[in-house]
Amino acid sequence: MEALDYHAEERRKAEFNLDEMKIVWAGSRRNYELSDRVARLVASDPVFRKDNRTMLTRKDLFKDTLRKAAHAWKRIIDLRLSEEEANMLRSYVDQPAFTDLHWGMFIPAIKGQGTSEQHEKWLPMAYKMQIIGCYAQTELGHGSNVQGLETTATFDPQTDEFDLHSPTLTSSKWWPGGLGKVSTHAVVYARLITGGQDHGVHGFIVQLRGLDDHLPLPGITVGDIGMKFGSGAYNSMDNGLLRFDHVRIPRNQMLMRVSQVTREGKFVQSDVPRQLVYGTMVYVRQTIVSDASCALARAVCIATRYSAVRRQFGSQNGGPEIQVIDYKTQQSRLFPLLASAYAFRFVGEWLKWLYTDVTQRLQANDFSTLPEAHACTAGLKSMTTSVTADAIEECRKLCGGHGYLSNSGLPELFAVYIPTCTYEGDNVVLLLQVARFLMKTVSQLGSGKKPVGTTAYMGRAEHLMQCRCEVEMAQDWLKPSTILEAFEARAVRMSIACAKSLGKFSNPEDGFAELSPDLVEVAIAHCQLIVVSKFLEKLQQDIPGKGVKRQLEILCNVYALHLLHKHLGDFVATGCITPNQGALANEQLRLLYAQVRPNAIALVDAFNYTDHYLGSILGCYDGNVYQKLYQEAWKDPLNDTVVPDGYLEYLRPILKQHIRTARL
Ligand SMILES: CCCCCCCC/C=C\CCCCCC(=O)SCCNC(=O)CCNC(=O)[C@H](O)C(C)(C)COP(=O)(O)OP(=O)(O)OC[C@H]1O[C@@H](n2cnc3c(N)ncnc32)[C@H](O)[C@@H]1OP(=O)(O)O
Ligand SMILES: Cc1cc2nc3c(=O)[nH]c(=O)nc-3n(C[C@H](O)[C@H](O)[C@H](O)COP(=O)(O)OP(=O)(O)OC[C@H]3O[C@@H](n4cnc5c(N)ncnc54)[C@H](O)[C@@H]3O)c2cc1C
């Protein structure tokens, strides 16, 4: 018997080859096959069930997380999965866990900041999970300002050890994931002090708990910081607190790639830039951009499928009502998010390439592209996570009342996702880093130093400051060079205007602080330009499959023109376009939405998400939403009994009070 599919008609409407689009989304046929296999493996395993987790108490949820992590590890070993497959498996399990920090930060920190001897000693144990580690940087008093951390690591030449100490309450480590209850080790960031001199913040490998009894080692106070936002969600993670009372570690546990301390206690700064101490953050910010496209795609998939099932108003002669996806307002809210998911996917791919490139250069002692890698990872992390967090909430609203049900999957996705706007660098703080980079680039324009990479367009500032947009008809906005020039002109004009305003301040730092809201806008304009330009570059590639490239062109135009519409004030105020050209862009956008419409369901099918991973009744593949909602309601614990617990104590006395009152 053929399976029921409420979306069958929608799927028939698609004007492109879905299988080829799946490959474009996955990045390659190989990636597609790997991720498809691993996603199904997870979805079919009852241990990885997650439909009940919002009902669990914190303790039960945490134990369930430990159970899943242990089971995942067993599957990884038994099936001899590669590192890439293992990472995929953990991400499809879709439950924040200490393993994210062990594999995602502890190991990368040792790899990036440790010497080859330190790699040899620590990495084999970490890879086998004989030790489990976390990344302990943030403190109660300081997170963004890393240079303000207070924990000290004082070298004692007598014993050849560091003495780790938390001198104040605010120096307590606070937030590290996996620290609270699991990690046996941590990379701890502390101020290095030798001979009474403070050399700033460095990383140290510190054992926290006994490997036999899991008890904190002497001098260490460690625990969980408490419940976080939402039910289920990030509460599966044991974000922790940590204090040191003169804990001793051997000298060779300082991560010594960037700087060294000799046996005599001499501090040696190598020719590697000190910013490499921040290298793990650059790595993780890069992964967060790719993850943003996954989270956004997930929310959009749910909202799109549900919008095709849901009908409201407009029935004629007893016929069906209108599918809400056919309302132009629904399309103008949903389709830019669909386009953004694809845009973030491609910029994430490019950022991964950039990161790999900078890593190879660093190994060859070429540090020239580090500032750009920092600016791109910081800016794109900030922009993509802010958009995605807002988009998940918008998708909830696009699903009307049912979007607010836990089993729509959207509340939990929102609760898990929103801290990405804060962790790995607060989004505003990171945009200000991008702004600094841009202001520096502008200040060097007259010096003969040619801007390269993502700021190469600034080298054409003279042209971009005075060029005029040539759009006369709506369809002129479909020309890639027209779109690109409008975004470049807007970014360069905003940057130069800010640089000029900064020049009016006698103290540049005062100017930077005063103008910081404008500088944030400049950074956003630059990041949006990067995303648009990388989408356009993607379209230069040979993309096989009937209609696939055409769909991507439509999505790219939707992405760019919706941004132009949203930030029309910037484009018009900087004289990049006229108000009339802005209106033509909006007209073209409406035409593009009509072209997306028949392909919408297939475009979200291309994400290839299993129902298990989506975790949403509204987004399930077959679209059988109402029956599933109805069945699911009866599974709620409140429906275990017809009359609720508490009726006799609390309800009945109220309900019966009129009888007593009447008798009085
Ligand atoms: C399993 C698969 C993998 C999946 C991976 C998943 C991982 C797990 C996922 C989720 C779990 C949650 C993880 C969350 C973990 C955390 O949150 S860890 C803590 C993160 N903390 C932060 O991000 C702190 C943010 N603050 C900073 O980064 C810095 O302090 C600052 C950049 C804001 C300022 O630093 P400061 O030293 O004061 O710098 P400045 O004076 O502003 O700049 C000096 C120069 O250094 C340059 N620079 C700054 N940062 C970097 C960098 N990272 N790389 C390269 N260069 C950098 C800066 O541009 C300045 O340059 P100039 O002197 O040339 O202007
Ligand atoms: C779920 C979660 C997991 C985490 N995991 C880890 C982990 O594993 N390891 C770890 O070490 N840390 C971790 N953190 C900590 C995290 O990295 C920090 O919270 C983050 O870097 C933000 O720093 P903060 O909390 O000090 O924010 P603050 O800097 O105090 O920010 C507060 C406000 O001040 C503003 N602000 C701050 N500085 C400036 C400025 N210079 N200019 C303008 N505005 C400014 C910010 O924009 C924000 O609005 C985690 C945090 C969370 C929420």
Side-chain angles (χ1 to χ4, degrees):
M1 203 177 71
E2 206 170 296
L4 182 84
D5 182 2
Y6 284 83
H7 290 309
E9 185 50 37
E10 288 290 338
R11 292 190 165 113
R12 266 194 288 278
K13 286 187 205 162
E15 297 159 321
F16 66 93
N17 181 325
L18 176 61
D19 289 340
E20 290 293 343
M21 188 65 94
K22 285 183 178 173
I23 290 167
V24 172
W25 176 262
S28 66
R29 184 174 294 278
R30 179 186 162 276
N31 282 2
Y32 167 71
E33 284 166 1
L34 273 189
S35 77
D36 186 62
R37 191 164 55 80
V38 176
R40 286 171 201 280
L41 190 90
V42 173
S44 62
D45 192 326
V47 178
F48 295 134
R49 176 184 168 198
K50 58 180 184 172
D51 55 346
N52 58 346
R53 72 182 164 198
T54 53
M55 302 285 187
L56 301 178
T57 63
R58 175 90 202 277
K59 276 188 170 178
D60 288 343
L61 176 65
F62 184 66
K63 198 162 174 190
D64 177 64
T65 311
L66 296 184
R67 186 168 80 111
K68 283 179 176 154
H71 186 64
W73 184 237
K74 187 170 180 321
R75 299 300 283 152
I76 289 165
I77 303 284
D78 291 350
L79 300 171
R80 296 168 189 264
L81 298 188
S82 65
E83 196 177 330
E84 188 184 12
E85 290 166 318
N87 285 339
M88 279 180 186
L89 186 137
R90 279 187 284 268
S91 83
Y92 283 125
V93 170
D94 187 36
Q95 191 151 310
F98 62 93
T99 44
D100 298 345
L101 282 303
H102 176 75
W103 295 99
M105 294 203 80
F106 178 69
I107 289 178
I110 296 174
K111 273 166 110 177
Q113 291 151 54
T115 60
S116 43
E117 298 84 66
Q118 289 174 321
H119 292 170
E120 274 163 36
K121 173 165 181 196
W122 296 99
L123 292 179
M125 289 188 282
Y127 282 135
K128 288 186 219 142
M129 294 200 83
Q130 289 165 339
I131 60 172
I132 296 173
C134 64
Y135 185 87
Q137 182 176 293
T138 306
E139 296 175 354
L140 195 50
H142 293 97
S144 298
N145 180 7
V146 179
Q147 291 194 48
L149 297 180
E150 296 174 82
T151 305
T152 50
T154 309
F155 184 65
D156 179 352
Q158 305 237 305
T159 59
D160 197 22
E161 288 172 324
F162 290 106
D163 173 294
L164 272 114
H165 190 59
S166 310
T168 57
L169 176 66
T170 48
S171 71
S172 310
K173 293 292 171 190
W174 194 272
W175 271 119
L179 167 67
K181 292 287 152 190
V182 176
S183 294
T184 61
H185 288 68
V187 169
V188 172
Y189 288 82
R191 317 198 70 79
L192 168 65
I193 296 168
T194 62
Q197 215 189 328
D198 184 332
H199 302 284
V201 171
H202 292 77
F204 300 82
I205 302 175
V206 185
Q207 181 169 354
L208 307 173
R209 293 179 162 101
L211 292 177
D212 293 323
D213 54 10
H214 208 62
L215 290 174
L217 296 187
I220 284 175
T221 304
V222 65
D224 187 277
I225 60 171
M227 281 288 278
K228 288 147 293 195
F229 190 102
S231 57
Y234 217 82
N235 290 301
S236 55
M237 184 73 86
D238 54 329
N239 293 94
L241 64 89
L242 169 66
R243 288 184 60 77
F244 297 106
D245 182 9
H246 297 288
V247 172
R248 296 261 161 171
I249 58 166
R251 180 171 55 92
N252 65 9
Q253 287 181 209
M254 170 178 155
L255 292 171
M256 292 219 201
R257 177 168 179 217
V258 180
S259 333
Q260 299 87 41
V261 171
T262 64
R263 175 66 190 87
E264 297 72 37
K266 193 166 159 247
F267 175 74
V268 182
Q269 176 79 56
S270 59
D271 47 8
V272 175
R274 76 161 179 87
Q275 283 88 351
L276 273 199
V277 171
Y278 299 156
T280 313
M281 293 187 278
V282 175
Y283 161 71
V284 179
R285 285 171 194 155
Q286 170 261 136
T287 67
I288 288 176
V289 175
S290 296
D291 291 350
S293 73
C294 295
L296 178 52
R298 213 164 141 174
V300 166
C301 182
I302 295 168
T304 305
R305 286 184 179 162
Y306 179 68
S307 296
V309 168
R310 186 67 166 175
R311 291 174 182 270
Q312 295 279 355
F313 300 105
S315 163
Q316 284 180 352
N317 305 324
E321 292 173 276
I322 295 173
Q323 288 167 279
V324 298
I325 197 170
D326 284 326
Y327 288 109
K328 296 292 171 189
T329 46
Q330 192 84 352
Q331 294 178 4
S332 69
R333 293 157 69 201
L334 181 58
F335 293 166
L337 304 182
L338 172 61
S340 304
Y342 277 88
F344 294 174
R345 190 71 177 179
F346 301 140
V347 84
E349 255 175 28
W350 168 78
L351 198 60
K352 191 171 177 189
W353 168 85
L354 183 85
Y355 181 78
T356 311
D357 180 68
V358 78
T359 312
Q360 283 163 358
R361 286 169 188 268
L362 293 178
Q363 270 151 12
N365 280 354
D366 169 5
F367 308 112
S368 59
T369 57
L370 189 60
E372 185 179 55
H374 166 50
C376 288
T377 47
L380 291 172
K381 179 273 181 186
S382 171
M383 192 208 121
T384 57
T385 56
S386 291
V387 169
T388 300
D390 291 349
I392 297 169
E393 168 62 358
E394 185 64 12
C395 286
R396 181 192 70 75
K397 290 187 261 185
L398 284 161
C399 294
H402 299 331
Y404 190 64
L405 271 174
S406 180
N407 59 31
S408 76
L410 292 166
E412 204 186 1
L413 182 59
F414 182 71
V416 169
Y417 195 75
I418 49 174
T420 53
C421 297
T422 304
Y423 64 55
E424 224 39 76
D426 167 83
N427 278 355
V428 169
V429 170
L430 293 186
L431 287 174
L432 289 171
Q433 288 286 308
V434 180
R436 264 187 203 283
F437 173 69
L438 294 176
M439 291 305 104
K440 203 168 173 179
T441 309
V442 172
S443 72
Q444 291 169 347
L445 281 182
S447 71
K449 192 174 173 213
K450 231 175 134 199
V452 291
T454 51
T455 52
Y457 67 100
M458 290 197 174
R460 286 180 283 109
E462 218 171 296
H463 165 72
L464 291 171
M465 288 302 284
Q466 31 133 359
C467 63
R468 293 203 177 282
C469 173
E470 286 174 359
V471 166
E472 288 174 357
M473 294 183 296
Q475 71 193 48
D476 292 341
W477 274 118
L478 299 180
K479 229 171 129 188
S481 56
T482 303
I483 290 180
L484 191 60
E485 189 166 273
F487 276 82
E488 287 181 343
R490 168 210 183 205
V492 91
R493 290 178 196 201
M494 288 174 74
S495 279
I496 289 179
C498 247
K500 277 191 182 147
S501 305
L502 277 177
K504 293 182 191 144
F505 289 81
S506 50
N507 178 341
E509 283 308 311
D510 288 348
F512 199 88
E514 191 59 29
L515 297 178
S516 53
D518 298 343
L519 286 159
V520 163
E521 299 296 323
V522 170
I524 291 172
H526 172 73
C527 292
Q528 288 174 346
L529 164 63
I530 298 179
V531 182
V532 168
S533 68
K534 296 305 159 195
F535 206 151
L536 288 170
E537 273 174 27
K538 178 81 188 175
L539 296 173
Q540 303 296 309
Q541 293 175 9
D542 180 29
I543 301 174
K546 178 187 154 261
V548 172
K549 193 168 192 173
R550 175 83 198 107
Q551 286 310 310
L552 294 175
E553 280 165 359
I554 293 169
L555 290 174
C556 180
N557 290 329
V558 167
Y559 181 72
L561 295 186
H562 105 277
L563 283 181
L564 195 141
H565 180 61
K566 193 170 161 193
H567 298 274
L568 196 58
D570 285 355
F571 284 92
V572 173
T574 48
C576 298
I577 67 168
T578 64
N580 186 46
Q581 287 169 330
L584 290 172
N586 200 27
E587 190 183 322
Q588 184 54 57
L589 197 51
R590 280 201 304 275
L591 297 171
L592 289 165
Y593 291 154
Q595 293 172 31
V596 173
R597 168 63 189 94
N599 297 289
I601 292 295
L603 284 168
V604 301
D605 285 349
F607 304 147
N608 201 37
Y609 289 151
T610 60
D611 280 352
H612 170 271
Y613 182 65
L614 271 185
S616 166
I617 283 179
L618 306 189
C620 58
Y621 182 84
D622 67 11
N624 190 5
V625 168
Y626 294 129
Q627 198 172 20
K628 286 184 177 148
L629 280 174
Y630 192 79
Q631 283 167 350
E632 206 57 28
W634 293 109
K635 292 185 192 159
D636 191 279
L638 275 188
N639 288 328
D640 285 351
T641 58
V642 178
V643 174
D645 277 358
Y647 167 75
L648 284 177
E649 301 101 296
Y650 306 117
L651 268 183
R652 197 178 148 86
I654 297 172
L655 291 166
K656 292 291 172 197
Q657 70 185 329
H658 69 282
I659 299 172
R660 281 200 304 274
T661 322
R663 279 192 194 134
L664 280 176

